[in-house]
Amino acid sequence: MASNNKETTKDISFLASKTLRDKNASNTAKSLAASALAQSKNKKQTGAEMEDLASIVLNSSKYNTETKKLAGSVLSQSNKNR
């Protein structure tokens, strides 16, 4: 299995932290934020379920720019073989 050594950037980590503390953030945004933070400062990769969710978010006009940024970060850290 090919690994992906990308890590969450400081900017995305800050956005993820802000999203998790926001009582008005959607569950989708919070899930993506949690995944992004879990991949900060380590070599963890995005799981298949989160890849699917991130893909849905990026292909939808329903989500705002911040949620799409989180989705992009999560997707960029996915397994290269999927």
Side-chain angles (χ1 to χ4, degrees):
M1 185 183 307
S3 64
N4 187 338
N5 294 323
K6 292 183 180 180
E7 294 179 358
T8 303
T9 65
K10 288 181 184 178
D11 289 343
I12 295 296
S13 292
F14 177 79
L15 175 59
S17 175
K18 180 180 132 189
T19 301
L20 288 171
R21 289 181 276 126
D22 182 354
K23 64 180 179 186
N24 295 317
S26 69
N27 288 337
T28 298
K30 287 186 177 191
S31 292
L32 292 166
S35 180
L37 278 180
Q39 297 171 46
S40 180
K41 306 247 185 215
N42 63 47
K43 304 296 183 204
K44 289 184 178 179
Q45 296 182 69
T46 302
E49 269 186 47
M50 288 308 296
E51 286 177 16
D52 290 343
L53 177 61
S55 178
I56 289 167
V57 167
L58 289 173
N59 287 309
S60 174
S61 61
K62 172 182 168 184
Y63 297 98
N64 65 26
T65 302
E66 290 182 343
T67 303
K68 288 189 176 205
K69 283 182 185 179
L70 292 169
S73 176
V74 166
L75 203 54
S76 75
Q77 296 173 64
S78 64
N79 182 298
K80 291 181 180 181
N81 287 336
R82 280 198 286 259

